[in-house]
Amino acid sequence: MTDQGPPARDGLFDEPVAAGYDDPDDPMNAPAAIDPVVDFLIDHARGGRVLELAIGTGRIALPLAARGVEVHGIELSNAMVARLRAKSGGERIAVTIGDMTSASATAGADGAFRLAYLVYNTIQNLTTQAAQVACFRNVARHLEPGGRFVIEVGMPDLRRLPPGDRYVVFDASPRHWGVDEYDVANQGLISHHFDIRGDAVRTSSGPFRYVWPSELDLMAELAGLRPFERWSTWHGEPFTSESRTFVGVWEKPTD
């Protein structure tokens, strides 16, 4: 399948980062993490075509396609798409190289999409509110009436942030340390990673803009979408004040 769109600069998502996404020891690449996502998305696709924003190296798209779903993608990073293409079945997924706030995935496909999805905190890679709103509007343009938009995002750990402090350790294991640096006034954070491989330590940092479920609902309303359902996990657990993750679904009206 030929990729559509102009070449893009990979920025923070270059080849070393892309390689890390396929780490077989990362729990996010285990069937226990992937299968519930795929089951959830198949239910909401209802037999239609789906669009993954920030499709990456195909962690979700490939098993979804393997179960008979027609998957298209938008991705900014050429390095990510190259790794997707190298995998079995990756050559059959159409990918538009571009920004998920504005790129169109319909140029080489007939009709609109019944489902669009954005998983694993990726909405937060858009570091301004305006860009996040633009993402919702771009999705709304791609959806058919009755189509749905699914987002998975983590809840900010602000309750673990002592007054006057900025840092929260969100992971500490023999292979990885993760520290989030918060800018509460601007709803921003920088996620710092320290990957330990033997005597070597690889460091990386990336900017994010964290969001709240109520804010996502407002962004959806601005894009002409309405809330459909919300959960804490892909297993359908209720979203509560103690939830660490949020899975939201919005729908494009049919009238």
Side-chain angles (χ1 to χ4, degrees):
M1 186 72 68
T2 302
D3 299 327
Q4 303 162 15
R9 296 172 59 185
D10 290 353
L12 296 172
F13 300 95
D14 56 7
E15 172 53 30
V17 173
Y21 271 67
D22 291 331
D23 183 352
D25 295 324
D26 188 334
M28 293 304 298
N29 291 323
I34 293 174
D35 292 347
V37 183
V38 172
D39 290 341
F40 187 99
L41 296 175
I42 286 175
D43 286 344
H44 285 278
R46 295 156 291 154
R49 299 164 62 247
V50 307
L51 172 65
E52 179 171 3
L53 289 84
I55 194 170
T57 65
R59 183 179 73 95
I60 300 301
L62 287 171
L64 196 58
R67 290 179 58 177
V69 178
E70 183 182 341
V71 183
H72 296 247
I74 294 175
E75 175 56 56
L76 188 65
S77 168
N78 289 281
M80 293 282 195
V81 175
R83 286 188 166 269
L84 167 65
R85 289 280 171 259
K87 297 177 182 177
S88 177
E91 72 284 352
R92 295 194 296 272
I93 296 178
V95 179
T96 297
I97 303 296
D99 191 318
M100 61 185 172
T101 66
S102 58
S104 173
T106 59
D110 296 327
F113 294 89
R114 190 161 297 169
L115 176 72
Y117 63 94
L118 185 57
V119 298
Y120 201 41
N121 298 325
T122 311
I123 186 67
Q124 298 183 136
N125 289 133
L126 301 172
T127 56
T128 68
Q129 187 181 69
Q132 291 169 348
V133 171
C135 179
F136 268 84
R137 286 175 169 154
N138 194 32
V139 166
R141 288 191 290 269
H142 283 83
L143 291 176
E144 64 184 33
R148 295 172 188 167
F149 184 27
V150 176
I151 287 181
E152 174 197 21
V153 67
M155 291 293 92
D157 277 337
L158 297 186
R159 289 194 294 181
R160 297 175 57 197
L161 194 65
D165 205 349
R166 294 184 297 160
Y167 299 95
V168 171
V169 177
F170 65 85
D171 186 35
S173 70
R175 302 182 73 249
H176 174 262
W177 278 70
V179 181
D180 279 340
E181 178 183 359
Y182 283 91
D183 175 5
V184 176
N186 295 300
Q187 211 164 310
L189 68 87
I190 299 175
S191 189
H192 304 282
H193 297 267
F194 304 85
D195 293 293
I196 305 163
R197 300 294 184 269
D199 294 331
V201 178
R202 187 173 70 86
T203 64
S204 62
S205 298
F208 296 88
R209 180 185 186 272
Y210 61 83
V211 291
W212 304 101
S214 58
E215 187 180 16
L216 293 172
D217 282 342
L218 184 56
M219 292 180 185
E221 183 178 345
L222 291 172
L225 307 178
R226 60 192 178 194
F228 183 78
E229 61 186 29
R230 57 169 56 187
W231 306 103
S232 177
T233 70
W234 297 108
H235 295 282
E237 297 172 0
F239 181 75
T240 72
S241 298
E242 303 305 317
S243 297
R244 301 296 301 277
T245 57
F246 172 76
V247 178
V249 185
W250 298 269
E251 187 174 65
K252 186 172 184 176
T254 56
D255 48 16

